[in-house]
Amino acid sequence: MVACFDTTEASTVPDTAQIDTGQALTSYSIFVKWTAVPSAQYYFLMVVSQATGQTFNFTYTTTSAVVGNLQFASNYDCYVYTANQVGVGSASKVRTITTLVPPPVNISAAQTGSTTARVTWQPVKDVLLYRVTIQYLDDPTSIPFVKNVTDTKLDAQNIFPCSTYLISVSSFNKFLVPSEPRNYTYTTNKLTPVASVELDYSCTTQSVMVYWSVVLGADSYMATATSDNGTQLTCTDQSTSCQITGLSCSQNYVVNVIPISVTCKNPINATSATFQTVPCAPKNLTLFRECSSDVIIFSWEHMSNTDHYLATSVDSKGEVQECLTVDNTCYFTHTVCGRRYYFTVYAVTGECSSQVSSSVDISTAPCIPQNVQTFATCNSDVVLCSWDIAEGALHYTVEAFGTRERNSYYNCSSQSNSCAIKDVQCGEYLTIYVTAFDNECASPWSLAPVAETAPCPAQNVSMVKECEAQSITVTWDQPGGAIFFMVIAKDSSGVTYNCNTMDLTCKIKDLNCSTIYTAHVIVSNFQCNSSESQALTLGTAPCPPTNLSASAEFGTDLGTLTWAPSANTVSYTATVTGTQGHVVSCSSNTTTCSVKLECAYQYSAVVVASSATCNSSRGANFTFNSASCTPDNVVVDLNCSVNTFAVQWKGSAGSTGTYMAIATGNGTYATCNTTSSNCTITNLKCGLTYSIYVTTTFGNIGAMEGSGYIVQSAPCPPQDLKASLNCSNNVASVSWSYSKGGQLYKVRAVATDGHEDQCVSYANQCALTSLFCGLYYTITVTAEDMNCTSKPSESVTIKTVPCTPAQISSMVDCQTNALTVFWSNSSGADSYIATVQDSHGLATTCQGTTTGSCSVTGLSCGQIYHISVVSSDGHCNSTPTPVADTPSAPCQTRNVGIAYDCNTQIATVWWTPTAGAWLYSVTLKAASGYTVICETSFSYCEIDYLLCGRNYSVSVQAWGWTCSATTYLHQQLATGPCSPGQITAQYSPSIGQVTWGRAAGADYYTVKGVTEQGLTVSCVTSNTSCALYNLNCGQSYSISVTANSYASCQDLSTSNQIVTITTEPCPPNNVEASFPYQNNTATVSWEASLGAVGYEVSLAGSDGHSLSCYTTETFCNIEGLHCGTVYYISVIAIGRTVNSTSSTTVLLSSAPCAPQNVTAVTKCAEGAIAVSWSLNLDVQYFNVVAVSNTGARQYCNSSSTTCTIYNLPCGQKYNITVLSVRDGYHSNLGAVVEASTAPCVPRNTKGHLDCISNSTWVTWDDSEGALSYLVFARAATGHNSSCNATSSLCQLPDLKCGTLYSFSVTALNKDCYSNQSTPFELQTGPCALNSVSVMTDCNSNTILVEWEQIMDTGIYVVTAESHGQTVITCNSSSTSCVLQDVGCDMEYSIIVAVSSNKCSSVRSSPQNIKTVPCQPSGLAMDSDCMTGSAILSWNASQDAVHYYGQAQSINGNTLYCDSTVSSCTFKGLKCGDMFNFTVKSSNSVCNSSFSIPLQAGAVPCPPSAVRFRLQNISQDYWVMTTWDSVNCSDVEYLMEISGQIQNNPEALIHFSSYWVPRRYFEVPLPCSTAFNLTVCARNSAGVSKPSSTLTGFTAPCAPQNVQYSGNGLSAVLSWNPSVFASSYTVYGVLGGGRVLLCNTTGFSCTVTYYTYYSAIEVTASNAVGESSPNQIITGPVGTRRRRDLVESTGLEIPVVQNLTASGVALYVKWTAVKNATLYMVVIKDEQEAHPAIEIIVQGVFYIANELKSWTTYCVTLAASNNNSQSDYSMPQCATTGASK
């Protein structure tokens, strides 16, 4: 049997696991372990807090876990779920585990003894027992100290200094299970830092002594000096000082001292001292000097730690200069040219100096060459130059600057002291400079005497003839080197004319007319003459014509002239002058010509002959008569009403016949006859132009043609009048046919209401543009010419456009959304149409008849509707009314939102702006009815003043100009809760209870207490009271209560009421006691206790002495402690109600008592001081301090009663004190004793021989510590000498001459004396010599000196010193010597001495001698032109007693004079001669050489009777000056004018004429100029003095800054004063003329009808004349239109054709101007007695009536149109007659 079956495996959830172990590991973690279940794949551990319900869920694959981050001392329920792929098994049983209590915090330790310390910590709540473990970390193998304590502190033993300990504290819970420990590392260090560090630096040894105070427990000390660059140097010693050596220069060192014991050292460098080392030698030396300066700038890199520098320069001759400065630069200003200078410098700080720097050197510029001489000859182009050798020069350059060709230039170079300049041009006047050079610099220029070459020939010679004077003026360019010129002219017959001058022009006078001359020029400089210039040829003016005759012709009024011919003539000009003033001329190249004369007058004629360049003089006048006259001055007057001509004329001179007047035109004529001078022509036709002629019975055709007159008859009336209206502009166009004779047409339209409009035209049509709307007009036209107007034409009638409606208004109905338009009826209208257009341009209309309104419905919101209305008569529409705007209702607001800011308590409402709204109103309303409204033109609004704890409804209303729209917000606004009030607080130890009143809108409250240190406690509740626990001692808690709302604002509604809880103060901590002042005063300090208002300190001494102190500070100074006593000190804090417990007790030992009976003894030889005192058993050791007078300190420590200080420097005075020292404290200072070391050895000893007294002055540097000095001199011969001194100078007298001495100096004080200084030797001077003689020679510049020979003597030195302290010397080994280059006019004192290496012998007795007189200098000559004499003067020579003068003329004549004073007179000088003046002086023994010649001449006298006058030429003022001639040959004159323009000291003028032979000159001067005028004369001898000065001033300048204010009728003009002006005139310009408006002496004027004139001019005047006008006037823009500034657009100026005065009427007619529509006519009386008449005319004529009788009126006019205006015409004037 076969059986089939199938199997399936199935799994169930795993079995339940059970927790078998559960324990707390720490205060924040537990350990859980459970049983293993084989079918379980995962385990879910659940940990639930019993206190908070917080659940932790963990998944594991193992059977144990550690759970962390738990709360301390809390119960947790734990259970486990098993799980596999099927599902989760059942939960295990619950195991409850309690975490451990936490370890304490704020663990600290403080040393309480040398081997004890107290450990403290913060208590843990509900903990009664703590475990403390102390592990010695420096020895890991040591056994830890463990102890359980119930207090929060532990006093530990065996805590050693300089050790590190790990302190661990754990808390036991109530089951005595300890928590995890909290660790604290504690390091002990009982070695305190040294209290003070003092230094004594020595710059000579580059070391520093370091001194410090004793530190209790220290065995030794290490001093470390750290430099700026980080280098460290150290020294170690067991005493309180040591020396650090090897210091670097220019460093700042910081010195620290570290105490060291057997077990440790104190690395804390709490006390340090600093010092600076001597500066290093300066480096980076630089020199700067400019070649042009004698200053050398020596600079170097600035060294640190430097007080000042000493720089030294030594030149190539050994001279030394020093410069002391605090800067790093020295200016050596007293250098000498041509020398090499070497510079060094060293730095100084205090008494220390650096090493001397390296040397740098530089040379100064070479010296200026001296005694420069130049040599030039006439026949050579080479100039030689020589000079003396200049110190420091290597080569020389000679530069010569000439006066030719823009300062010509020459040069040469040389290495010797002379040079030749080649290729020098003629006529050069050379300024020569010599410059010395080395390799770097040049000396300043040395100016040489001027060198002059021969003059050059004259160039560009030209001749100009003066036609009237029959003279020729020859001119030429200035040739180089020229002084004098000779001009020679010769005619064709060989006659010669000469002219000599020193100017560039010369005039040859009195030549013959019609003659040809040839001329040339020769140039001279009084030494050489040039060659002749190029010859030129020129002819004189022609001779005047002769044999003049004339004839006259009747009818033609011609006159014919004839004359005889003149030689060399090209043309003739005849001038004819009538007795009535008529002048006419004619020109001809023949001997006859004709002119047009005026009839019936006598004429005189003269003829002038002309060549190509000149006119002859006028010949004799010839007189003759012209022919008799024909009728003239024909005048015609048209009578328009009867169309007749009234003709009048002037009769012929002497005629008694009959006259006929004839009018002809277009083939017709009319006449009238009369024997008088007038008649009337009748029967004229209209519109014709007639020619009028008047003739006589004896007349001819020439007379008739000469008197023709053209006149027009009256025009005919126009025909075919037509009119039409343009509806768009209400303008009527009128046309007609042209009328005969009509030049201008005037159309006249008269309305039914009487209104009248006109238009004027030159064509046959015009437009009426000023018609009123809605009227009927009757139109006619007339024709006019210049004189008459025709009768009117037949009329026509038109109707104008209806008027525009008025009083437009509108109204919007907000309910129906409709618009109604209103208007008033208008003239001529039958119907009306209103147009309404919205903001988008969509328009609609409504129509009305006579009701005056219509309506439009369906308006859109937020639109501006534009409304206009027109009227109509069925044919024309009126112009639209001005647009009126009407707004519709605004649209509803959208997107309204609201937000509330809890911090600012401001609500913000916003929305989308809506069309048509200009204002929005936001309303917030609370349920209580409290309402807040905000209005704005923006799309948002911020609202404050909301009540707290309220709900508000919100709405927004949009306002238009006519209506409004409101939008409501569905949500409400909730504000934050109100702040709590009525807060109270109560306190019991560590607990504060707070209560308050309930706040509106609050759901719960937060109470917080905060101290000033930031400690915080808080509680949260929904009630109105709360308790604050665990308040700290010594604190003041500020209590606040905050109301909160779940719906609105959080933590913002905090109370403003101030409530405070104050706890009791804490006991003081860290109490310390010390002796900072070393005067038995203790200072006790502690940390401030929170809440304390004061402190009480108690001191109890071991000797029973007690002290106390009360203070509010954290320290207290307690005086009166006994020395050598131990005190027990404690502090309590005093609170407002309860005091703290007492602080920990601290011990303090007072300072030891001071030593007694201190003495000090100096050991001179050892350089030491021994100090001793009485024994004191309460002292560990004694500290001796010696302070020198320089501040240096020396120390010595000893445990006995003596101590010696060695190695003391010399010359120091010490103040010595001894201190008792115990446990780091020293006693008060005891008595101070003084002691001094031996004085220092004198240094830098020097000696100076006094050659006169044969004694020696010895000097030395002051020795430190010295009170006096002994100087000793010993000779090899045994002779001794000594002297005593208290200063550093001493004289040793009575030394033997010629003896070698050794000198030394010893310093002394009251206790010791120094060693002798380093000896030095000196040789005394030789003995004196006698018998000296001196002599000089008149012809040389030397002095011979002789003396007797002395045995065994080397060199003799002769010295001569003048009274001016000039010294010259010579040396000789014989018995005589010659002094060279002796100065003239000097008295010398001469001595002779024998020279040795140190000193000369005693000088010989002085020998005095006088030298030859100097040649006189400073020559000056003053000539008397009237007497022909001259006074020569000069500078007096010092020892001269007589002078001899000489004057030699160029032609060889010689004059002489002599005098005992410094001037003499020469007589007989001829005017014009040149002289060389010289003089020599005599002292009765010798005569000087002659002086340098002074070249001067017998110059002419200045001109007399100088006159001038000012004349106006072309608006400029010229000064015409004349003078009398001077009585001297070949004289020329020069006029000079200097002045000041407009009183401006910076605007000066100086003018001089050229030299002229004539006695007049004219020159223009600027306006407002004051001037001085002089004239001088000259000839070949020179220039005279100026004449007497004339003064004057010119006409004033035009006034400036002319301004006006006012209007066209009346304006005030003002201006700035013009210098030298006495009056001012204002003119009005009309056309080409001007009218006087105002004359005043002030600076302003009132002008009427200001705009009448084309321009306004202002002038200034004085006695000389009137200034040019100023037309530049400024004032208000647009006030006045200047006629002369009208923009030119092509309009011509109208021309006045007829101006006739009839009675008191004035008729004016003018030409028509193309494109002109109007004419401005201005009529003004000539005297300005009446206002001007200004009218606008449309035609071409005007009649002014009712004018003043017998008054001259001037008329000017301008043409204009709508765009432009022409200039005004020239004024024309006429005089009215009598009134009728």
Side-chain angles (χ1 to χ4, degrees), residues 1587-1778:
S1587 65
S1588 299
T1589 302
L1590 300 181
T1591 61
F1593 55 84
T1594 60
C1597 295
Q1600 299 300 308
N1601 193 25
V1602 182
Q1603 298 182 346
Y1604 73 92
S1605 61
N1607 51 45
L1609 295 177
S1610 177
V1612 176
L1613 273 74
S1614 62
W1615 51 85
N1616 291 344
S1618 183
V1619 178
F1620 302 132
S1622 57
S1623 63
Y1624 301 89
T1625 306
V1626 180
Y1627 296 97
V1629 179
L1630 286 174
R1634 65 182 187 178
V1635 178
L1636 175 66
L1637 301 180
C1638 169
N1639 194 300
T1640 180
T1641 58
F1643 310 125
S1644 64
C1645 191
T1646 301
V1647 177
T1648 57
Y1649 297 98
Y1650 183 72
T1651 56
Y1652 164 67
Y1653 303 98
S1654 60
I1656 298 294
E1657 297 179 344
V1658 183
T1659 64
S1661 302
N1662 60 15
V1664 177
E1666 187 176 21
S1667 72
S1668 57
N1670 184 3
Q1671 292 188 353
I1672 302 174
I1673 301 174
T1674 60
V1677 177
T1679 300
R1680 173 175 169 272
R1681 177 186 181 190
R1682 284 188 56 181
R1683 304 175 193 269
D1684 58 338
L1685 297 181
V1686 174
E1687 183 181 2
S1688 177
T1689 55
L1691 289 180
E1692 297 180 353
I1693 301 174
V1695 178
V1696 176
Q1697 290 182 326
N1698 189 1
L1699 179 62
T1700 303
S1702 177
V1704 292
L1706 191 67
Y1707 171 80
V1708 59
K1709 183 176 178 61
W1710 55 86
T1711 59
V1713 176
K1714 185 178 180 181
N1715 296 328
T1717 58
L1718 298 173
Y1719 298 89
M1720 273 66 71
V1721 181
V1722 180
I1723 303 174
K1724 188 171 185 180
D1725 72 279
E1726 192 174 44
Q1727 299 302 320
E1728 297 187 358
H1730 307 95
I1733 302 173
E1734 297 188 36
I1735 57 173
I1736 299 176
V1737 180
Q1738 290 183 326
V1740 292
F1741 69 91
Y1742 178 72
I1743 299 175
N1745 295 305
E1746 298 181 359
L1747 301 177
K1748 298 296 180 180
S1749 59
W1750 307 112
T1751 302
T1752 300
Y1753 285 91
C1754 297
V1755 179
T1756 182
L1757 50 95
S1760 70
N1761 55 27
N1762 292 333
N1763 298 319
S1764 62
Q1765 176 184 315
S1766 74
D1767 292 339
Y1768 276 78
S1769 65
M1770 291 290 293
Q1772 295 196 22
C1773 303
T1775 304
T1776 57

Side-chain angles (χ1 to χ4, degrees), residues 1490-1540:
F1490 271 106
S1491 66
I1492 298 174
L1494 169 67
Q1495 190 175 69
V1499 299
C1501 293
S1504 59
V1506 179
R1507 301 166 295 275
F1508 75 87
R1509 61 185 175 88
L1510 289 162
Q1511 57 186 16
N1512 191 338
I1513 303 176
S1514 299
Q1515 295 187 345
D1516 291 327
Y1517 280 88
W1518 292 64
V1519 179
M1520 171 65 78
T1521 308
T1522 60
W1523 53 87
D1524 292 347
S1525 61
V1526 174
N1527 185 19
C1528 194
S1529 61
D1530 298 327
V1531 176
E1532 293 179 313
Y1533 304 93
L1534 179 76
M1535 181 191 70
E1536 287 189 297
I1537 292 179
S1538 62
Q1540 184 171 288

Side-chain angles (χ1 to χ4, degrees), residues 1422-1478:
D1422 185 12
S1423 64
D1424 188 342
C1425 61
M1426 302 299 294
T1427 63
S1429 62
I1431 297 176
L1432 180 67
S1433 61
W1434 54 88
N1435 296 332
S1437 297
Q1438 181 175 356
D1439 294 319
V1441 297
H1442 210 93
Y1443 301 92
Y1444 301 94
Q1446 175 180 299
Q1448 186 173 17
S1449 69
I1450 295 177
N1451 56 20
N1453 295 327
T1454 304
L1455 302 175
Y1456 300 94
C1457 74
D1458 65 278
S1459 173
T1460 59
V1461 296
S1462 58
S1463 65
C1464 68
T1465 302
F1466 293 92
K1467 298 181 179 180
L1469 278 72
K1470 181 181 179 182
C1471 181
D1473 283 354
M1474 291 293 295
F1475 291 88
N1476 285 326
F1477 293 88
T1478 61

